[in-house]
Amino acid sequence: MCGIIGYIGKRKVVPVLIDGLKRMEYRGYDSAGLAYIRDGEIVAVKSMGKIARLEQQLQDVDAESHIGVAHTRWATHGEPNEKNAHPHLDCTGRIAVVHNGIVENYRALRKYLQKQGHRFTTETDTEVIAHLIEEYYKKDIPFIDALTSALLQIEGTYGLAILNADEPNKLYAARHGSPVIIGKGEKENFVASDAAAIIRYTNRVIYLNEGEVAEVTDDGFEIFTLRKDRVKPEVQKLTMTLQELEKGGYPHFMLKEIFEQPATVRNSFRGRLNLEMGTARLNGLKSHLDVIEKLKRIVITACGTSWHAALIGEYLIEELARIPVEVEYASEFRYRSPVLDDGTAVFVISQSGETADTLAALREAHNQGVSVFGIVNVVGSTIARETDAGVYIHAGPEIGVASTKAFTSQITVLALTALMLGRRRGIVSTERGYELASHLAKIPEKIKWILDSQTANIKKIAEKYHKKNNALFLGRGINFPVALEGALKLKEISYIHAEGYPAAEMKHGPIALIDENMPVFFIAIDDLMYKKVVSNIEEVRSRKGKVIAIATLGNEEIRRYADDVVYIPETDYLLSPLLTVIPMQLFAYYTAVLRGCSIDQPRNLAKSVTVE
Ligand code: G6P
């Protein structure tokens, strides 16, 4: 979602803010803006569209200012135009606010403030925050008191960075429901929604907790609760590197992240596989294993691509550990009073660890008194911190909005979890465990094989079909969720309408859509259902649909049925999603490139959705 950054210190502020915004652009890119203090006044500059436009607007500005805040926006309230871009100012123009989140009671607050004489210039919910602080900021009232009084009136979520022209040596930050960190430097300090924005300058950070406010100067900071109790900060060290945030010679982050998968999958299982015992060990869950292995039911909840990984987790855990699993969209789970009885635990899966719906589902489960375990990528994120225990997937920073490497790492961790539980529950034998573990250990080189030998082929297929308006993705069993993911990837970045379906369900509806203009992707690997999938392929062909088959290397017969074939190496059926998804990611990527789409920042989407 929106990204925020604030800076105070020895450097000129504008380049620091622009650099920080660029590193967070994947969070939102409808509009951007910044504000700094010069000669006791606030100067605000805003622009529609991407950060590059804002940068251009500022190119002749050499502002001698060392304090400022900035924002990259994903619109929630009000059109994504220049006026509605952050920062938002109060009536006097002396308070500037950048905000990530939603003020839910903004209509009531706006009405009240208008009655008090405040003039609003935008349609945003955020503007009420600036005016509300102004309302409380009267003679003899310290700004921090006005700020906390205002925040106590706000319902909804916020991560905030705030400037007050009367205090050119202080930056304010606050958090409720949207992440905020303070970066601690030498004679300089940062406020940001995202570690990526500040890692270039410091790796020492403090995560603000819910309902905390910070007063930041160039050589220190103080943290309070909204009731003004002082909080002792805990400084943590970030592990991410700047290099991980660069494109490293690739034209897009998405392509880089697709090609990183041999390494990222390996990172997800490194040190966690025990080949000899045919099992896995996950230290993050260690102290809860006695409970987890006796569970009667697991509910996995997530959004988007993480939800697709959860569906694959359902197959893995049920097959290997024989524990019933249900998968729920986090946004639905939280509002439908789920039955979470004794013997049930919830797993949440999230790349960012900040998705508002997933976080709310986690809290709902906690309210009902059940344990919640996390499978998360971003270290130190809110979900990682609020779960009872969990496993990091170690995929490294994922910048492309369309998730790729996080997906395969999530599946890897789910496979490890299922294997470990299956072994502990005595369902998986040592031999079967060994077999699975050794197959998993070989997955990175098999992904590499696909990337090396099939990319040119997939590019050609994309050339053939990139002008189509629709596509179908079909798979069965554990590859049905991969079909969903293939369709989602294509929709997200190429804006082609695509549907994922269980192959056999096609005849109950989508078959009506098939004609010579419909490309249909089939996951047709050599598994127990191969013959059935071939029958489904025939059904499509006889209606003139175009068939693209993802098949097991060595299967020449399939060429008779398919217009195009992409091969993947053989592996254990349960691990096949780690391979079958790779051609789909590449197909979506090259199709979007050919259609001239914005690959890393597709329209209307955001990497981390911190609003409900
Ligand atoms: C957004 C992103 C998706 C992601 C989903 C869940 O919609 O665009 O790529 O899968 O959120 O995000 P999470 O960080 O919780 O995995």
Side-chain angles (χ1 to χ4, degrees):
M1 208 88 312
C2 310
I4 62 173
I5 176 170
Y7 174 79
I8 181 162
K10 57 197 177 197
R11 301 170 209 259
K12 282 191 181 171
V13 72
V14 171
V16 177
L17 296 179
I18 292 287
D19 178 67
L21 286 182
K22 280 189 182 161
R23 299 203 182 272
M24 290 188 297
E25 194 164 29
Y26 66 93
R27 282 183 156 257
Y29 31 80
D30 292 334
S31 58
L34 56 77
Y36 53 87
I37 303 180
R38 198 182 53 200
D39 305 331
E41 305 284 338
I42 286 181
V43 182
V45 184
K46 307 178 184 192
S47 151
M48 231 182 103
K50 307 226 162 147
I51 314 294
R53 275 178 73 173
L54 179 70
E55 190 178 22
Q56 218 169 12
Q57 234 167 292
L58 284 157
Q59 79 188 0
D60 300 325
V61 177
D62 181 24
E64 199 38 72
S65 169
H66 298 266
I67 174 169
V69 295
H71 187 268
T72 175
R73 178 168 189 244
W74 186 86
T76 59
H77 292 68
E79 250 184 74
N81 56 23
E82 193 173 313
K83 189 180 69 177
N84 289 336
H86 297 216
H88 291 292
L89 307 179
D90 68 326
C91 298
T92 65
R94 297 188 61 75
I95 300 169
V97 175
V98 291
H99 170 218
N100 174 23
I102 291 183
V103 181
E104 282 167 1
N105 59 339
Y106 85 101
R107 280 207 177 82
L109 289 173
R110 188 174 164 123
K111 227 182 200 166
Y112 161 77
L113 288 162
Q114 276 168 332
K115 270 202 194 129
Q116 307 306 308
H118 291 264
R119 295 172 324 274
F120 282 78
T121 55
T122 77
E123 297 141 22
T124 64
D125 55 333
T126 302
E127 196 184 350
V128 300
I129 303 177
H131 291 281
L132 199 56
I133 301 171
E134 178 192 8
E135 180 65 19
Y136 283 106
Y137 187 40
K138 299 274 155 65
K139 200 162 173 274
D140 299 332
I141 307 247
F143 187 77
I144 181 85
D145 290 357
L147 173 60
T148 50
S149 304
L151 295 181
L152 284 167
Q153 303 302 314
I154 289 173
E155 288 164 22
T157 54
Y158 52 78
L160 294 168
I162 301 164
L163 293 180
N164 171 20
D166 294 342
E167 295 178 289
N169 300 316
K170 254 184 208 165
L171 186 65
Y172 291 88
R175 166 191 177 140
H176 180 71
S178 303
V180 175
I181 56 174
I182 297 174
K184 205 168 154 350
E186 294 300 324
K187 286 251 167 288
E188 61 183 352
N189 284 307
F190 302 80
V191 166
S193 53
D194 196 318
I198 59 171
I199 188 70
R200 178 167 172 191
Y201 308 101
T202 179
N203 62 1
R204 286 179 304 155
V205 298
I206 295 94
Y207 294 93
L208 282 195
N209 290 311
E210 297 292 288
E212 286 180 358
V213 182
E215 224 180 48
V216 185
T217 62
D218 59 357
D219 66 352
F221 54 88
E222 287 196 84
I223 302 177
F224 306 94
T225 64
L226 289 183
R227 302 281 171 204
K228 292 287 300 293
D229 295 323
R230 219 168 274 249
V231 177
K232 196 166 171 276
E234 191 194 328
V235 181
Q236 302 193 24
K237 215 165 162 201
L238 292 172
T239 48
M240 113 189 355
T241 64
L242 193 59
Q243 206 189 359
E244 288 175 321
L245 301 172
E246 311 273 341
K247 283 191 204 138
Y250 286 92
H252 299 102
F253 280 110
M254 183 181 177
L255 191 64
K256 175 189 172 216
E257 287 157 6
I258 291 173
F259 274 80
E260 271 174 355
Q261 289 176 108
T264 49
V265 165
R266 191 181 296 286
N267 287 343
S268 304
F269 67 65
R270 175 169 293 135
R272 291 169 165 175
L273 273 181
N274 182 339
L275 281 177
E276 219 167 288
M277 305 293 288
T279 190
R281 117 187 105 230
L282 293 166
N283 285 339
L285 296 178
K286 203 158 128 199
S287 47
H288 293 73
L289 278 181
D290 290 344
V291 174
I292 298 176
E293 72 182 28
K294 293 197 193 82
L295 287 172
K296 297 211 170 58
R297 176 171 161 253
I298 291 175
V299 176
I300 315 181
T301 182
C303 303
T305 290
S306 300
W307 183 78
H308 294 156
L311 291 175
I312 292 169
E314 178 179 9
Y315 283 87
L316 286 164
I317 295 171
E318 292 199 341
E319 174 82 28
L320 295 173
R322 308 302 300 154
I323 302 174
V325 177
E326 271 165 55
V327 177
E328 291 257 14
Y329 282 115
S331 53
E332 292 297 316
F333 174 86
R334 54 177 301 202
Y335 286 117
R336 59 164 208 92
S337 63
V339 180
L340 298 173
D341 38 18
D342 264 3
T344 299
V346 171
F347 276 69
V348 291
I349 306 182
S350 175
Q351 187 286 126
S352 62
E354 302 294 348
T355 302
D357 285 321
T358 312
L359 186 57
L362 183 174
R363 289 176 180 160
E364 168 66 26
H366 269 164
N367 284 342
Q368 291 206 32
V370 301
S371 303
V372 185
F373 304 107
I375 295 179
V376 172
N377 191 29
V378 177
V379 177
S381 55
T382 312
I383 291 176
R385 290 186 304 136
E386 288 198 15
T387 40
D388 297 280
V391 185
Y392 282 118
I393 63 170
H394 297 312
E398 189 179 66
I399 310 287
V401 165
S403 183
T404 52
K405 63 174 181 172
F407 181 67
T408 44
S409 285
Q410 288 165 342
I411 299 171
T412 304
V413 166
L414 285 161
L416 294 171
T417 309
L419 172 60
M420 179 186 70
L421 291 176
R423 290 284 293 128
R424 287 179 73 99
R425 286 165 60 87
I427 290 156
V428 176
S429 66
T430 317
E431 294 70 40
R432 175 73 178 121
Y434 172 81
E435 196 177 82
L436 272 168
S438 356
H439 272 295
L440 187 54
K442 288 195 195 105
I443 289 287
E445 64 199 59
K446 293 182 180 173
I447 296 180
K448 187 165 183 312
W449 183 90
I450 302 171
L451 295 170
D452 290 347
S453 72
Q454 300 296 295
T455 299
N457 177 21
I458 295 165
K459 231 175 181 169
K460 272 202 197 118
I461 300 173
E463 271 159 25
K464 214 156 140 184
Y465 297 111
H466 74 278
K467 292 209 172 115
K468 301 285 180 208
N469 295 322
N470 296 287
L472 267 182
F473 289 78
L474 306 175
R476 297 190 77 151
I478 203 164
N479 280 300
F480 156 53
V482 179
L484 295 178
E485 176 62 7
L488 178 65
K489 287 287 89 74
L490 194 65
K491 274 186 272 207
E492 280 179 315
I493 60 165
S494 75
Y495 318 141
I496 292 176
H497 170 242
E499 302 241 18
Y501 248 79
E505 265 300 294
M506 177 191 63
K507 54 187 175 295
H508 299 293
I511 199 162
L513 302 170
I514 290 171
D515 61 16
E516 67 281 8
N517 288 315
M518 179 67 94
V520 186
F521 284 78
F522 274 94
I523 302 174
I525 55 170
D526 291 355
D527 59 16
L528 280 178
M529 277 165 303
Y530 173 72
K531 287 250 150 60
K532 308 265 176 218
V533 174
V534 168
S535 308
N536 300 140
I537 292 180
E538 296 277 27
E539 288 155 17
V540 168
R541 269 167 57 86
S542 57
R543 287 160 183 86
K544 299 200 171 58
K546 302 282 179 267
V547 173
I548 303 109
I550 294 165
T552 308
L553 185 59
N555 178 355
E556 287 301 321
E557 176 221 49
I558 192 119
R559 291 195 181 278
R560 277 198 265 142
Y561 312 106
D563 296 272
D564 295 281
V565 181
V566 180
Y567 284 112
I568 61 158
E570 196 179 357
T571 185
D572 191 282
Y573 162 74
L574 288 177
L575 301 174
S576 60
L578 290 166
L579 303 182
T580 51
V581 75
I582 309 290
M584 309 217 167
Q585 297 171 342
L586 286 168
F587 177 76
Y589 173 78
Y590 287 112
T591 303
V593 169
L594 288 163
R595 288 167 70 95
C597 298
S598 171
I599 306 290
D600 289 329
Q601 292 156 358
R603 71 182 179 208
N604 305 341
L605 294 176
K607 182 75 186 155
S608 161
V609 181
T610 53
V611 293
E612 292 163 25

